């Protein structure tokens, strides 16, 4: 992309570039992000009378579009150019003669430090973190479009290895098949088959055996015949299923193919005990939704646990096994439980046979802290000891090691790493959201923010966990690699500085096949279309309709509706800055057209600031009251300060849909957006932020609408336009509603999610066994970061907690 810069310099737009650079030097900011750059370019074009064609299609416009950052120096300008997703180039252009030269990442990070006023290279060296050497000998994806399709790439890579070196890899496959046992019982292949050559021979005999049986004949009828040939349970529950599995193995031996490899490995019964880590706490099934940090995560993990158990049961039944798979959700026990079940060590997950919430307390370094809820920003000092204590509890509850550990969010992923490292178990990470991309320049100004957010610990924990993981699940492609307009969450960890702490020269390799896009689903027992009236409970419908539109209860409800018949404009989220419910309220307040056509109804946690201990929530509560007062919204807004039971949260969408309302999700950034799926499957036309996961869920104007939460007038106009179309065409609301429902059922179900997750776990398990890739050097490097960087910082935070307790 530096070629494009040179093209601008060599063209008749050279003067425009020079004038634009001059305008940059007039700005107060020295560090300009893409939004700043685009705004300044727009101002430049307007000030010199450029036509729209120049703003949109000139060489300079293309350069501006691809530029992510400008750093203004005394004599030159640093440009971070992103020509395609997941790739960056840093160059410096001399202000005087427009000479261009490339910059190393190290020089760029030094310049970032100087810009922040925190560090000058001549003052001394800084620790550099570089993970790239550990990925240099791993298979690597080349095309950015294939990022997030790691398992497809890995299957092709493995099948090519089978083809190139069949002797070694077929021997590896043979040894892998002999590994598997369940409760001491040998599966798949027994001692009668001692070599890969014997396997090939016996495979032909056993195929002849099962081919002579009726397709639906139960495996039990010919089990002993198969055992005499060297084949144990695990191939199938009927003759047809056994034959299919063995034919896949036979085909793979004769002509390796990536699709055959995936189909075969996905059938191998190797997962019986799964642990899902959600360490933050307030994890429960009644009245507990993260308080308020991790409510979406709680819903996600509970639904995932139910679906995992069900899928494991189905898989094992198809394999011909009588098993009792077990899923454990590992979280923290909170003694002061505020009337919830967060103080119970063990709780069965509703609707399951053998899925459990296991709660392990934090050690009582500071009982007045650890016996209570702790913000996700303050949790870091307690995670190592929590992992050590949890190891003993898990081994006792499971009766052995788990087969898979799945971490959730930054803290859960760190615990998953510590457990997987000690137990030598496959580790999967799910970030849900990485804070680094939420808070602009938070790494550059971490010292000012650390007292409140402790980003130095969180970003270090993220680097540790994401590099240690065997595979990573993201809900969307852009969570990994972003869009042409914006950087991905994981992408933001490739190169960054935390001045006076460390430089990250290479934090994560996005082209490594560990990344996989596996979106979550919705619980279809709770969230389903409003038209399925036979499945709805009339009493719940009437109660929630009253709660939404008419109930007078100062404890639960703020505001009344002067005209409850207006179309409801509905949103439901926790009150924090990123979720931006106050931004939606302000958008509504500034639009007379919206107020004329609709009522605003918010379900948002608490009504009183004094009931909250979260600083962001307190600030948003106060701001919402201020907006209502300033814009005189009395009679036009309802604010419900309630925590809904799960079944109520499903019905409340349908109640709004009964009145042909709409759902608005106005977050400044949304990693994925489960509420978007919930509203769409319920039948509500949905407006959601264009920043983050909704961009991949919603096809704008087809099955929903994308909005810019930073442009309130534009957002209001988009909603008003939809309402006008509904008035003009009574079928329009129903068309968008039906398409939204269809979109969710075709792509976003838990059945699809867990089938894929279990397939990934099996394939990465085979890869880790067969690749002979030495991860020990990487894990030792990661351990060094944990003990030399993370642990001292966590200890300082622990001491601060103790001091705060002493003062209080």
């Amino acid at each position: 992309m530096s070629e494009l810069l040179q093209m601008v310099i060599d063209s008749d737009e050279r003067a425009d570039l020079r004038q634009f650079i001059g305008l940059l030097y007039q700005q107060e900011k020295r560090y300009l992000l893409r939004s700043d750059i685009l705004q300044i370019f727009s101002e430049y074009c307007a000030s010199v009378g450029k036509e729209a064609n120049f703003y949109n299609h000139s060489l300079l416009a293309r350069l501006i579009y691809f530029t992510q950052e400008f750093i203004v120096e005394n004599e030159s300008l640093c440009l971070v150019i992103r020509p395609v997703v997941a790739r960056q180039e840093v160059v410096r252009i001399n202000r005087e003669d427009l000479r261009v030269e490339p910059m190393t990442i190290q020089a760029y990070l030094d310049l970032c430090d100087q810009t922040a006023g925190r560090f000058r290279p001549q003052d001394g060296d800084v620790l550099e973190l570089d993970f790239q050497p550990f990925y240099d000998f791993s298979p690597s994806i080349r095309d950015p479009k294939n990022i997030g399709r790691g398992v497809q790439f890995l299957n092709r890579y493995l099948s090519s290895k089978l083809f190139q070196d069949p002797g070694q890899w077929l021997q590896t496959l043979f040894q892998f098949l002999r590994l598997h046992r369940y409760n001491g019982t040998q599966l798949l292949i027994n001692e009668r088959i001692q070599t890969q050559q014997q396997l090939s021979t016996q495979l032909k005999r056993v195929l002849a055996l099962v081919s002579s049986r009726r397709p639906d004949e139960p495996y039990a009828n010919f089990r002993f015949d198969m055992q005499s040939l060297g084949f144990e349970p695990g191939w199938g529950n009927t003759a047809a299923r056994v034959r299919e599995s063995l034919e896949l193995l036979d085909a793979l031996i004769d002509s390796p193919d990536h699709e055959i490899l995936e189909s075969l490995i996905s059938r191998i019964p190797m997962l019986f005990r799964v642990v899902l880590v959600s360490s933050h706490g307030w994890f429960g099934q009644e009245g507990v939704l993260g308080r308020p940090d991790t409510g979406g995560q709680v819903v996600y993990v509970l639904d995932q646990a139910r679906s995992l158990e069900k899928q494991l049961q189905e898989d094992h039944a198809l394999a011909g096994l009588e098993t009792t798979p077990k899923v454990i959700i590992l979280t923290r026990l909170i003694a002061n439980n505020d009337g919830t079940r967060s103080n119970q060590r063990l709780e069965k997950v509703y609707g399951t046979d053998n899925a459990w919430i296991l709660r392990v307390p934090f050690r009582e370094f500071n009982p007045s802290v650890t016996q209570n809820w702790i913000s996700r920003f303050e949790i870091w000092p307690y995670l190592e000891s929590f992992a050590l204590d949890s190891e003993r509890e898990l081994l006792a509850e499971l009766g052995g090691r788990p087969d898979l550990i799945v971490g959730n969010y930054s803290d859960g992923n760190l615990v998953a790493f510590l457990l997987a490292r000690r137990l030598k178990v496959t580790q999967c990470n799910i970030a849900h959201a990485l804070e680094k991309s939420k808070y602009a320049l938070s790494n550059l100004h971490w010292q000012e923010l650390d007292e409140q957010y402790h980003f130095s610990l969180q970003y270090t924990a993220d680097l540790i966990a994401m590099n240690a993981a065997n595979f990573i699940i993201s809900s969307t492609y852009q969570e990994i690699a972003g869009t042409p307009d914006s950087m991905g969450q994981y992408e933001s960890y490739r190169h960054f500085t935390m001045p006076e702490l460390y430089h990250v020269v290479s934090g994560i390799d996005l082209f490594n096949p560990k990344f996989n896009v596996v979106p979550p689903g919705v619980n279809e027992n709770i969230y389903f279309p409003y038209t399925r009236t036979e499945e709805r409970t009339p009493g719940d419908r009437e109660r929630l309709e009253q709660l939404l539109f008419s109930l007078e209860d100062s404890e639960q409800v703020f505001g009344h509706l002067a005209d409850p018949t207006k179309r409801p404009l509905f949103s439901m989220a926790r009150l924090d800055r990123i979720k931006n419910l106050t931004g939606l309220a302000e958008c509504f307040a500034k639009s007379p057209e919206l107020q004329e056509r609709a009522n605003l109804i918010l379900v948002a946690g608490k009504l009183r600031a004094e009931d909250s201990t979260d600083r962001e929530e307190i600030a948003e509560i106060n701001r919402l009251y201020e907006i209502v007062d300033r814009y005189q919204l009395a009679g036009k807004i309802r604010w419900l300060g309630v925590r809904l039971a799960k079944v109520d949260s499903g019905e409340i969408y349908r109640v709004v849909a009964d009145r042909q309302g709409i759902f608005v999700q106005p977050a400044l950034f949304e990693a994925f957006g489960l509420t978007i799926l919930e509203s769409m499957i319920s039948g509500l036309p949905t407006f959601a932020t264009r920043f983050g996961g909704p961009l991949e869920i919603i096809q704008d104007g087809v099955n929903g609408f994308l909005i810019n939460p930073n442009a309130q007038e534009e957002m209001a106009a988009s909603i008003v336009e939809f309402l006008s179309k509904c008035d003009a065409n009574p079928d329009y609301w129903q068309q968008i509603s039906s398409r939204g429902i269809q979109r969710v059922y075709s792509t976003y179900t838990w059945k699809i999610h867990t089938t894929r997750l279990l397939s990934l776990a099996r394939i990465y398990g085979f890869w880790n066994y067969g690749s002979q890739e030495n991860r020990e050097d990487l894990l030792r490097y990661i351990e060094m970061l944990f003990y030399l960087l993370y642990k001292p910082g966590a200890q300082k935070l622990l001491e601060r907690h103790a001091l705060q307790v002493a003062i209080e």
Side-chain angles (χ1 to χ4, degrees):
M1 192 50 61
S2 58
E3 291 86 354
L4 177 58
L5 175 56
Q6 193 62 52
M7 288 172 62
V8 175
I9 294 170
D10 295 339
S11 73
D12 57 5
E13 296 178 21
R14 179 187 179 98
D16 291 297
L17 175 61
R18 189 180 291 280
Q19 291 178 40
F20 179 68
I21 290 175
L23 189 58
L24 294 176
Y25 273 86
Q26 297 174 25
Q27 306 300 312
E28 184 177 345
K29 291 182 180 178
R30 293 184 61 204
Y31 200 120
L32 300 167
L33 298 178
R34 187 171 185 273
S35 57
D36 303 315
I37 299 166
L38 291 172
Q39 179 62 35
I40 296 169
F41 184 59
S42 175
E43 292 171 359
Y44 167 74
C45 292
S47 67
V48 298
K50 294 290 184 182
E51 296 180 356
N53 190 57
F54 183 88
Y55 177 77
N56 292 311
H57 302 296
S58 64
L59 289 173
L60 181 56
R62 285 183 60 202
L63 176 66
I64 296 298
Y65 177 81
F66 289 119
T67 301
Q68 297 295 307
E69 299 174 13
F70 276 141
I71 302 179
V72 181
E73 302 179 76
N74 290 333
E75 303 298 332
S76 59
L77 193 70
C78 169
L79 289 77
V80 179
I81 306 172
R82 187 170 173 266
V84 294
V85 295
R87 298 192 191 277
Q88 294 180 16
E89 184 179 349
V90 187
V91 298
R92 177 182 271 130
I93 179 169
N94 185 277
R95 182 183 182 186
E96 182 178 342
D97 59 11
L98 300 185
R99 185 178 70 256
V100 179
E101 60 181 20
M103 288 182 69
T104 65
I105 293 298
Q106 290 87 341
Y108 161 68
L109 296 177
D110 285 341
L111 180 58
C112 291
D113 286 348
Q114 292 178 57
T115 304
R118 287 291 183 179
F119 178 82
R120 297 193 304 276
Q122 61 266 31
D123 290 342
D125 294 327
V126 64
L127 174 64
E128 290 186 347
L129 306 184
D130 188 355
F131 286 91
Q132 189 55 49
F134 301 106
Y135 293 103
D136 283 344
F137 299 101
S138 299
S140 182
I141 293 169
R142 293 185 178 182
D143 190 340
K145 294 194 297 292
N146 291 325
I147 290 173
R149 300 175 181 174
V151 77
Q152 291 96 320
F153 173 85
L154 198 57
N155 285 331
R156 289 187 176 92
Y157 180 82
L158 284 168
S159 60
S160 71
K161 289 293 183 182
L162 275 166
F163 183 80
Q164 294 168 12
D165 190 358
Q168 176 190 335
W169 277 91
L170 289 175
Q171 180 64 22
T172 298
L173 179 61
F174 167 66
Q175 295 292 348
F176 185 71
L177 293 175
R178 296 182 68 189
L179 283 177
H180 304 295
R181 290 174 171 79
Y182 175 69
N183 286 349
T185 299
Q186 180 66 41
L187 303 177
L188 300 176
I189 296 175
N190 63 35
E191 71 282 353
R192 294 176 184 270
I193 299 176
Q194 291 293 321
T195 66
Q196 182 261 317
Q197 290 76 14
Q198 281 186 322
L199 174 63
S200 298
T201 302
Q202 294 298 87
L203 189 55
K204 304 297 184 185
R205 294 175 179 172
V206 78
L207 276 170
L209 168 69
V210 296
S211 297
S212 66
R213 303 279 176 164
R214 297 190 325 272
D216 62 347
E217 185 171 356
Y219 166 73
N221 289 2
F222 53 91
R223 171 177 181 170
F224 296 112
D225 294 330
M226 283 191 64
Q227 285 179 318
S228 67
L229 293 173
F231 292 87
E232 293 289 341
W235 296 102
N237 60 338
T238 64
R241 179 74 178 184
V242 171
R243 180 178 176 179
E244 284 176 12
S245 300
L246 293 172
E247 284 177 342
L248 285 171
L249 177 58
D250 192 41
L252 190 65
I253 292 173
D254 288 343
S255 54
D257 175 84
H258 67 276
E259 292 180 349
I260 295 174
L261 177 66
E262 180 172 3
S263 296
L264 175 64
I265 300 298
S266 296
R267 290 182 176 217
I268 293 177
M270 52 191 283
L271 300 172
F272 302 94
R273 295 172 291 216
V274 178
V275 174
L276 310 177
V277 184
S278 182
S279 51
H280 175 246
W282 285 122
F283 198 109
Q285 303 177 85
E286 295 178 2
V288 182
L289 280 175
R291 292 291 178 93
D293 300 39
T294 48
Q297 182 189 139
V298 171
V299 173
Y300 180 109
V301 176
L302 279 171
D303 287 343
Q304 186 185 58
R306 293 188 187 94
S307 186
L308 274 171
E309 185 203 44
K310 184 177 180 181
Q311 192 60 49
L312 285 169
Q313 290 170 339
E314 291 180 10
D315 291 350
H316 295 171
L318 280 173
L321 301 178
E322 295 181 3
T323 66
T324 307
K326 191 166 189 175
V327 179
I328 286 183
I329 299 169
L330 175 65
T331 189
R332 64 173 292 234
L333 185 146
I334 305 175
N336 297 330
N337 61 324
D338 196 20
T340 71
R341 295 182 181 176
S342 295
N343 65 339
Q344 294 185 11
R345 177 183 177 275
L346 205 59
E347 179 183 356
K348 192 174 183 181
V349 176
Y350 299 157
T352 68
D353 296 320
N354 202 20
W356 302 83
I357 302 170
L358 173 64
R359 300 185 180 93
V360 178
F362 284 170
R363 290 186 192 173
E364 295 192 348
F365 303 107
N366 306 309
S368 60
V369 174
T370 56
Q371 291 185 4
N372 295 287
W373 171 81
I374 304 172
S375 164
R376 73 183 189 274
F377 296 117
E378 303 285 338
I379 200 172
W380 307 105
Y382 311 101
L383 296 179
E384 182 185 14
S385 58
F386 173 75
L388 294 173
D389 295 342
S390 297
E391 179 186 359
R392 293 190 296 271
E393 297 285 341
L394 286 170
L395 291 174
E397 284 297 323
L398 293 170
R401 294 188 307 167
D403 303 305
L404 172 67
I405 297 177
V406 181
N408 290 273
Y409 196 67
S410 296
D411 54 83
N413 286 326
L414 184 68
V415 173
F417 155 67
L418 294 169
L419 285 169
R421 176 67 169 144
R422 292 176 62 85
L423 295 171
K424 302 188 185 309
V425 175
T426 300
Q427 175 194 349
C428 168
N429 279 12
I430 305 176
H432 297 282
L434 291 165
E435 302 287 349
K436 187 171 176 296
S437 55
K438 288 185 183 180
Y439 296 85
L441 301 179
S442 55
N443 59 287
L444 196 62
H445 301 289
W446 70 273
Q447 284 146 308
E448 297 99 288
L449 299 169
D450 224 41
E451 183 176 348
Q452 180 176 355
Y453 294 110
H454 309 295
F455 288 142
S456 61
L457 287 168
Q458 181 158 359
Y459 298 168
T460 304
D462 286 335
L463 287 170
I464 288 170
M466 67 177 63
N467 282 286
N470 297 107
F471 66 102
I472 295 173
I473 282 179
S474 72
S475 298
T476 62
Y477 171 89
Q478 62 184 292
E479 185 179 333
I480 308 168
T483 69
D485 297 337
S486 61
M487 190 176 295
Q489 292 186 57
Y490 283 98
E491 186 183 3
S492 72
Y493 282 78
R494 290 191 72 190
H495 318 297
F496 68 95
T497 174
M498 302 194 78
E500 300 180 2
L501 184 63
Y502 54 68
H503 284 176
V504 178
V505 176
S506 178
I508 187 67
D509 183 358
L510 303 179
F511 294 86
N512 187 273
K514 71 167 60 181
F515 286 100
N516 292 274
V517 176
V518 185
V522 287
N523 186 331
E524 296 169 53
N525 295 319
I526 293 173
Y527 302 100
F528 53 85
Y530 75 103
T531 51
R532 281 158 51 178
T533 53
E534 70 281 0
E535 298 179 43
R536 298 173 64 180
T537 304
D540 290 343
R541 178 177 179 174
E542 293 163 5
R543 174 174 53 83
L544 291 169
E545 188 169 68
Q546 185 181 24
L547 176 65
L548 282 170
F549 300 106
S550 60
L551 179 69
E552 297 293 337
D553 183 348
S554 59
E555 294 298 314
Q556 291 185 300
V557 180
F558 171 81
H560 72 283
L561 301 179
D563 183 2
T565 63
K566 288 182 180 179
R567 200 184 297 264
L569 193 67
F570 177 63
S571 192
M572 181 162 56
R574 66 180 183 268
L575 271 170
D576 67 19
R577 185 181 67 84
I578 299 298
K579 292 299 183 183
N580 193 38
L581 289 188
T582 53
L584 173 60
E586 193 167 44
C587 168
F588 178 79
K590 291 179 178 179
S591 173
E593 295 93 340
L594 271 182
Q595 293 176 43
E596 181 182 346
R597 294 166 178 261
N599 291 314
L600 180 61
I601 302 176
L602 305 176
V603 175
K606 296 180 173 64
L607 293 180
R608 287 171 290 278
E610 58 268 25
D611 292 338
S612 176
T613 57
D614 183 86
R615 282 172 285 198
E616 276 198 13
E617 185 177 40
I618 291 168
E620 291 297 291
I621 289 171
N622 291 331
R623 184 172 178 232
L624 188 51
Y625 280 121
E626 190 270 331
I627 290 169
V628 172
D629 291 340
R630 190 196 332 159
Y631 293 98
Q632 299 179 351
L633 294 181
K636 304 172 183 179
I637 185 172
R638 290 267 286 183
W639 171 9
L640 278 58
V642 295
R643 291 194 177 276
L644 296 170
K646 197 76 176 290
V647 291
D648 286 348
S649 69
E651 182 63 19
I652 208 163
Y653 289 112
R654 293 187 287 271
V655 168
V656 175
D658 289 335
R659 299 196 179 200
Q660 294 208 326
I662 63 175
F663 181 81
V664 184
Q665 203 272 31
L668 300 177
F669 177 85
E670 183 60 66
F672 182 69
L674 275 175
T675 56
I676 295 166
L677 297 185
E678 293 166 2
S679 65
M680 289 173 70
I681 200 172
S682 301
L684 274 176
T686 299
F687 289 71
T689 179
R690 65 175 63 252
F691 301 119
L695 196 63
E696 294 180 35
I697 299 173
I698 290 176
Q699 298 157 311
D700 191 26
V702 177
N703 49 38
F705 303 89
L706 297 169
I707 54 176
N708 181 356
N710 299 306
Q712 292 181 353
E713 288 185 12
E714 178 187 313
M715 181 164 65
S718 177
I719 299 172
V720 168
E721 181 184 4
F722 172 76
L723 297 179
S724 298
K725 288 183 177 179
C726 291
D727 292 341
N729 177 8
D731 294 332
Y732 185 63
W733 185 96
Q734 186 59 56
Q735 289 170 9
I736 300 297
S737 170
S738 299
R739 292 174 194 160
I741 294 169
Q742 184 180 7
R743 173 68 171 165
V744 177
Y745 276 124
S746 67
T747 312
Y748 299 104
T749 68
W750 279 113
K751 171 74 172 176
I752 296 171
H753 172 94
T754 48
T755 299
R756 196 65 182 146
L757 171 58
L758 292 173
S759 176
L760 290 171
R762 294 179 181 112
I763 291 164
Y764 282 95
F766 175 60
W767 164 252
N768 293 334
Y769 176 80
S771 68
Q772 298 179 348
E773 183 179 3
N774 184 9
R775 281 173 38 94
E776 190 61 25
D777 51 356
L778 168 63
L779 293 172
R780 288 293 185 186
Y781 185 73
I782 289 170
E783 282 184 335
M784 179 187 70
L785 299 184
F786 178 80
Y787 287 107
L788 298 182
L789 277 177
Y790 177 87
K791 201 167 177 180
Q795 182 61 35
K796 287 181 181 177
L797 182 54
L798 181 65
E799 292 168 359
R800 200 179 97 179
H801 285 179
L803 181 60
Q804 289 173 344
V805 170
I807 293 172
E808 293 171 1

